[in-house]
Amino acid sequence: MPEPTTDLWWLIIIGTIALLLIGSFFIMTVLFSQKRFIKSQREKLEILEKNQRDMQVSRDQLRKLTAHLESIREEERTNIAREIHDELGQLMTVIKMDVSLLKRKIQTKEKILNISETAKDLQSISALADTTIQSIRRIATALRPEILDELGLIDAIGWETNMFQSRTGVKSDFVTNLEKIDLGRDRSTAVFRILQETLTNVARHAYASEVCVMLDREANDLILKVQDNGKGITETELSRERSLGLLGMRERALFLGGEINIFGDHGKGTLVTARVPIKNP
Ligand SMILES: Nc1ncnc2c1ncn2[C@@H]1O[C@H](COP(=O)(O)OP(=O)(O)OP(=O)(O)O)[C@@H](O)[C@H]1O
Ligand SMILES: [Mg+2]
């Protein structure tokens, strides 16, 4: 039998090395792709866990918001009931007493009817009736801003701004170039409620001496801005989970396809911007 030549030995050695190299390259590729797969699975799991946590936070916020809205509704009912009882009840009683007094005076035959006194009595009854009508309007407005249906959103915002100034003493201006805007009943109510909550916050937290309400239009969006010159809302207050007034405002805007931006400048004031699409998106 012939001996294998040196060349053949070399061929066998090189072939074995090549096979070993290819084998280890293959093993390394498998290991590497496995590691990548595990890494991507871990990332997916982390994203999933984060989404779950976010969802839990949203769910908690939603639950708190619902409870908050319920308590606001309850509080409003209590306020309205008290106002109807205290104000309207009292005014109507006074009117009734005045009328029966007048009736008695007129019915007293022996006494000569004093025309000027009777006119004065009638005048006071009429003034009381006026006060009652004003009270009824005020209570009805608190229930549902009927001013919106009567005046439209733009004038209703102007009216609310004026009322805010006379209620709080904070100098309040309303600036707009818009003459007419048709937002529909629900959208107008939502924008009006956002304004009311923002102004209430100014009165309660800002320690401002001036507030400016601005209404504008950008393309298809209505922009409502409320700028005060108070202490300025902080980042912590903005991100606090129990800031339910702010959350409610955001929810209202989001529901309409819009958004709320709030910016606080320490010691200089707060700017709240609500952007709401004019047409239902
Ligand atoms: N214009 C503002 N200037 C300064 N701080 C503000 C202003 N508006 C809101 N804040 C701060 O942000 C917080 C959150 O406001 P938010 O309306 O959510 O709650 P609230 O007014 O305290 O209670 P409510 O749930 O009854 O509205 C307030 O407690 C206040 O500290
Ligand atoms: Mg509030």
Side-chain angles (χ1 to χ4, degrees):
M1 224 169 101
E3 286 269 315
T5 62
T6 325
D7 283 352
L8 195 61
W9 276 116
W10 274 115
L11 208 66
I12 292 169
I13 291 168
I14 289 170
T16 316
I17 289 173
L19 272 176
L20 279 174
L21 276 175
I22 291 170
S24 49
F25 177 73
F26 180 73
I27 290 170
M28 277 192 29
T29 312
V30 170
L31 280 178
F32 186 68
S33 65
Q34 238 177 14
K35 211 171 147 193
R36 240 186 9 204
F37 177 73
I38 291 171
K39 196 175 163 219
S40 86
Q41 288 302 96
R42 198 175 295 144
E43 277 169 5
K44 275 187 196 153
L45 202 72
E46 273 167 16
I47 292 173
L48 209 73
E49 279 172 0
K50 189 182 172 299
N51 284 350
Q52 265 174 350
R53 276 199 304 273
D54 286 353
M55 227 153 81
Q56 189 57 43
V57 170
S58 299
R59 222 177 279 147
D60 288 348
Q61 279 187 336
L62 208 67
R63 206 167 298 138
K64 278 185 200 152
L65 186 65
T66 314
H68 178 68
L69 290 179
E70 207 40 60
S71 80
I72 286 181
R73 200 172 297 153
E74 214 39 64
E75 200 180 308
E76 272 181 359
R77 275 193 209 126
T78 315
N79 279 344
I80 291 159
R82 194 182 45 230
E83 294 214 23
I84 289 176
H85 175 268
D86 291 359
E87 264 191 56
L88 299 188
Q90 222 169 52
L91 284 170
M92 291 313 282
T93 312
V94 179
I95 290 178
K96 220 173 146 228
M97 272 161 54
D98 277 6
V99 170
S100 59
L101 209 72
L102 193 66
K103 205 166 115 200
R104 223 178 305 148
K105 275 187 194 169
I106 294 169
Q107 278 170 348
T108 319
K109 291 204 183 87
E110 53 271 31
K111 204 174 163 193
I112 303 153
L113 192 67
N114 184 333
I115 298 292
S116 77
E117 210 178 282
T118 313
K120 233 193 266 166
D121 287 347
L122 280 171
Q123 183 58 41
S124 113
I125 294 173
S126 162
L128 265 174
D130 283 345
T131 316
T132 314
I133 291 165
Q134 272 174 19
S135 289
I136 291 173
R137 284 220 181 107
R138 198 174 49 72
I139 294 167
T141 309
L143 267 174
R144 143 105 197 126
E146 89 182 47
I147 195 98
L148 271 172
D149 304 324
E150 280 173 19
L151 303 179
L153 181 63
I154 300 173
D155 287 342
I157 290 179
W159 179 85
E160 184 69 17
T161 310
N162 275 339
M163 290 310 258
F164 179 75
Q165 172 163 307
S166 44
R167 247 191 345 258
T168 60
V170 175
K171 185 176 177 303
S172 313
D173 288 314
F174 175 46
V175 182
T176 188
N177 287 322
L178 299 177
E179 281 178 4
K180 196 173 163 2
I181 195 111
D182 191 12
L183 225 61
R185 195 183 148 106
D186 290 350
R187 295 175 160 260
S188 300
T189 310
V191 172
F192 195 76
R193 293 294 188 209
I194 289 173
L195 173 77
Q196 283 181 318
E197 171 61 29
T198 310
L199 288 178
T200 307
N201 275 351
V202 173
R204 282 174 67 191
H205 312 295
Y207 303 101
S209 61
E210 280 180 39
V211 64
C212 186
V213 177
M214 293 156 275
L215 194 68
D216 217 335
R217 186 183 175 149
E218 271 175 27
N220 283 326
D221 291 338
L222 182 75
I223 316 285
L224 171 75
K225 289 185 182 174
V226 180
Q227 168 82 66
D228 70 56
N229 68 345
K231 71 180 181 74
I233 192 166
T234 62
E235 281 299 318
T236 327
E237 286 164 336
L238 271 174
S239 53
R240 239 189 346 225
E241 262 183 47
R242 60 191 167 85
S243 293
L244 296 177
L246 301 183
L247 186 66
M249 263 165 50
R250 289 210 160 100
E251 291 291 322
R252 273 190 204 275
L254 227 80
F255 185 70
L256 303 177
E259 59 176 10
I260 304 266
N261 278 305
I262 305 172
F263 173 74
D265 197 353
H266 182 68
K268 291 189 178 154
T270 303
L271 172 65
V272 177
T273 308
R275 175 183 292 270
V276 171
I278 289 164
K279 294 210 172 64
N280 208 340

